[in-house]
Amino acid sequence: MGRKAAKSNTFELGSVLLSSVPSPLRRSLTTLLARVGLALGLVAVGGLALLAVAVTVARPEALALGFVPMCRASLAFAVTTLQGLMPLLILAVAFVTTRRLTVRGESGAWAALGLGSMDAWWSVRYVWLVFTLIVLVVGFSAEPWAWSTLHGVRGSPAASSAAWARLTRGEALVLEGGGAAILADDQLHFAAMQGALQGAVEDPQPEPRIAGWSFGSSEVRIVPSQDVAGAGLWRAKRLKVHLSEARRERYLQPPMNPRAQSVSGVLRLLGAQEIDEGRRDRANLVVHRRLALAAGVPLLALLGWFLGWSSQARGRGGGMARPVLLIVLALGLYGMTRICDHLALRGTLSSSLAGWAPWWSVLGMLGLMLLLRGRLER
């Protein structure tokens, strides 16, 4: 009987905790949270779009890639950047939501009903679950696609088109191995291999199909050198330059970056016997970092929730101490992540530990917030 009574009391207590928030308050808070999340998400996407426009203005040769490849590259850039901004975005959504409750005086209404910040946070737990699923989808599906897309854009077909755009703007193009090329009077003048190859070609055009260039009437002078045979002056009616087969095969290979691998690809990297330890450690770091970020969504939300919540209505200004503290915490988390990544790549810290270590600091901050909870909610 005693055990049954204990179980019954536990069940009743759990039911009270889950249903302690009135439905109208829960719906109002969920709606506000969704609006804030959508607004901040649109701000983040808009900021990334403006950044992409700024990069295009600064490097107009990107337009030479074509409209569709450029759009794909811009979207891939946005996805990879958004993944890094996720912790700050989650912190900001929780903080701004509770600040809005404070400004509108609704947090005081919650306090009058005997409800605090934890009750409010728990009442919208399904929203945090949705955020967690979004982080997992972005990390294990969208981000690998984005890195693979960027790998393709950086390849030689895109490079030949971009180089042509830079030449037509009057820029001098630095060549690999010591040399330069410049377009003047409809001729491409070049010197390569420390001056061992010199010449001028007419009608230069990029040829993405062959990952190289095609030229019209060409004149190439080969200076006597121990690295280049066949010294003398060479003339040709048509000339094509493209990658060697070895370089072409290397370009066509899938990206080696673990961040560009799908879940199955990362698992294959971790289980492969012939792979070097450095690459396996990088793949392990990527997996643990993505899992840690997903697991940290509720912690980040609770941290921002505590910082923004106050049972007393404040003006729209409300002081700068809490927003500044929020920014400091976000920058601290980012710095910890970068430091742990660096230590993992150097071999000083295990990759799995480096993926989760920054979130220990979040737990420490949450512990401090719980100790100061009564003071923060005033």
Side-chain angles (χ1 to χ4, degrees), residues 24-77:
L25 280 181
R26 188 186 303 115
R27 285 197 298 268
S28 174
L29 180 56
T30 303
T31 301
L32 176 61
L33 185 59
R35 288 177 178 175
V36 171
L38 180 61
L40 291 182
L42 290 176
V43 168
V45 171
L48 292 174
L50 289 176
L51 182 59
V53 171
V55 170
T56 304
V57 171
R59 300 293 298 272
E61 62 267 19
L63 296 173
L65 303 178
F67 180 75
V68 174
M70 190 180 69
C71 289
R72 285 171 57 87
S74 299
L75 181 59
F77 168 77

Side-chain angles (χ1 to χ4, degrees), residues 143-164:
E143 191 183 18
W145 169 85
W147 283 107
S148 298
T149 300
L150 292 177
H151 171 79
V153 170
R154 290 170 180 166
S156 54
S160 62
S161 299
W164 169 246

